[in-house]
Amino acid sequence: MSVDEGPSAAQRRAPTLEAVAELAGVSRATVSRVVNDSERVSPEAREAVTAAITALGYVPNRAARSLVTRRTDTIALIAHERPDTVFADPFFASVLRGANQALSLTQLQLVLLQVQGDQQRDRALRYVGNGHVDGVLLLSLHGDDTLATSVSKAGVPLVMAGRLLTGEVVDSVDADNVGGAGLAVRHLVATGRRRLATIAGPLDMSVGVDRLRGYTEAVLEAGLPDAATRIAAGDFTEAGGRAAAARLLAEHPTLDALFAASDLMALGALRALRAAGRRVPEEVAVIGFDDAAPAAYTDPPLTTIRQPVERLGQEMVRLLLRRIGDGPGEPVAVVLPTELVVRSSA
Amino acid sequence: MSVDEGPSAAQRRAPTLEAVAELAGVSRATVSRVVNDSERVSPEAREAVTAAITALGYVPNRAARSLVTRRTDTIALIAHERPDTVFADPFFASVLRGANQALSLTQLQLVLLQVQGDQQRDRALRYVGNGHVDGVLLLSLHGDDTLATSVSKAGVPLVMAGRLLTGEVVDSVDADNVGGAGLAVRHLVATGRRRLATIAGPLDMSVGVDRLRGYTEAVLEAGLPDAATRIAAGDFTEAGGRAAAARLLAEHPTLDALFAASDLMALGALRALRAAGRRVPEEVAVIGFDDAAPAAYTDPPLTTIRQPVERLGQEMVRLLLRRIGDGPGEPVAVVLPTELVVRSSA
DNA sequence: CTGAAAGCGCTAACAT
DNA sequence: ATGTTAGCGCTTTCAG
């Protein structure tokens, strides 16, 4: 048995302002005022209108409104990813969740713009640049910054995650990656480790750069200059982490702790260590950053530096809303705290 | 240094049809015809218009168009989740990716409607019911079907993932869960296992029901009626899987194979087995369904039944587009094949 | 094949 | 405090 469809929504025309006005015995303008709860409207009028609205099930027509106000009540989330990349990135999903949450307090809608090739890039840019959205959230997973500046140049409010490596400053929200990496190092040192090494992320992304910098600064501060030289590059993937760990292990057989700049790389490191017959954490402690991939899935659970990914999404929206409301101004860079989450005895 | 913002997009008005018409020396109507590449337009006119369009960088104003056509060129993805649920579900992200991919071939935009409480539910329903979108993709993670029927009743084209348990039929795309579970059982039996048990998913979701049914039918067919009684309920989470496995193990200490109806539950089972000192897969083989959670993260990698999650998203969009284009008709239920992916010697 | 004209439903001056 | 009016940019009859 199929669900009864009735007349399609496109056919059965929704009630208009006009209808509400008539039923309430006022003018369209008054109804509009009530709907946008602006200006002074007499209590009686307001009540009559409200009643009519509920009676009719009136919902404002977004298109009509948008046509005159030039606002769209819509913001775009642009995820710029290379063809090879996983859109199913848990980081992305968590940010999305946070953003949606913050947005659910407003009347705004979120549209998703996935950018892969140059063609999609241009399409997204045109879409955004032509007033189809009130603002843009940019998740530039690859530190590719031309999108950010393009959007910004188009005069559309923009908030990005992370920061640009070019030195240009746009509104952004980021986790305290430098501080977090320091946290990891100090934890390892405090638990007696001395021969540290790190698996760094891609250095064309601010997050990769910052986590490496945090590591380096902290090991130097701890009086472990050698550790600052034990660096292997990873690419934020499990395979990359595994390979990097294997290399480090080969070059520095005596290392007793590994800081991986991402959760997936930490997982890879764990595997490499196991494959090499090293015991974790007895022989080699592993600590990773937590980018929302299931770090807790590892066995044993790895100690991690947690960044508040969901909150990051929330803050991005909050900042964007502020910018949309207040207009342009000095760019703001919000930095969210990171946190050490001890999960094993490492 | 901050990015130069210039006049905001809202201020600097985008070129209109009118402008294009003037530059091309034709009427607005002709430009409109060219833009919608419809009707007969003389080659010369078409060319002049095209040139003017590129010269001006014209992009149609969606709001204006939508106002008259009553189409929105927008479809909504509704994810209905209970408060406790993970939006960061890898399944969701993969479906999203697939949907976006299919959509990128069109001019449609995707808006995301996250539904958590009743309030958000109603809001989404009003939004959808009032012609703000041309169609709806429903990811009812919890088998809650009232949303589906509500949307359908509102006359808005709808495609859901999975199927309704009420027996109502709406357009849907689903993986072959029954067949997949059968695949798992036959694989286990073929590799010499005889004392099977299953960790079932929630039975208020079609996916839970179907995977259990597939298991049951297959073990009966294999002449293992006892296996049909060894069922523990899980909730698709790692913790649930772990607890269920522990229970099964306690009741049936001699079991030699476990079919988990989700990847996370398979992971939980793996942990429970390890905690109980059982070796995997030597003593107990574990096989799980692959819902896009990182099943490959387990160590050893688990053999899984893969469902094509990304394609599911694509097919949902395709079906929806067809429905939007062709209008109502007999509901279609697309079933996607599942596949055995052998990863260990289990 | 093309143009003129009439709105789509709403908001925002401007009156009153 | 409320009503009147003039569009927003586009599509779509209807004439020609």
Side-chain angles (χ1 to χ4, degrees), chain A residues 27 32 71-72 91 134 147 198 212 215 217-219 239 263 320:
Chain A
S27 75
S32 178
R71 280 181 298 96
T72 58
F91 176 79
D134 297 340
L147 242 181
T198 188
L212 178 57
Y215 169 84
E217 288 179 0
V219 293
D263 38 23
L320 187 59

Side-chain angles (χ1 to χ4, degrees), chain A residues 87 97 100 114 271 297, chain B residues 87 97 100 114 271 297:
Chain A
F87 190 23
R97 180 183 172 74
N100 240 319
Q114 188 188 196
R271 294 253 172 91
Y297 288 3
Chain B
F87 190 24
R97 180 185 173 73
N100 239 318
Q114 188 187 196
R271 294 253 172 90
Y297 289 4

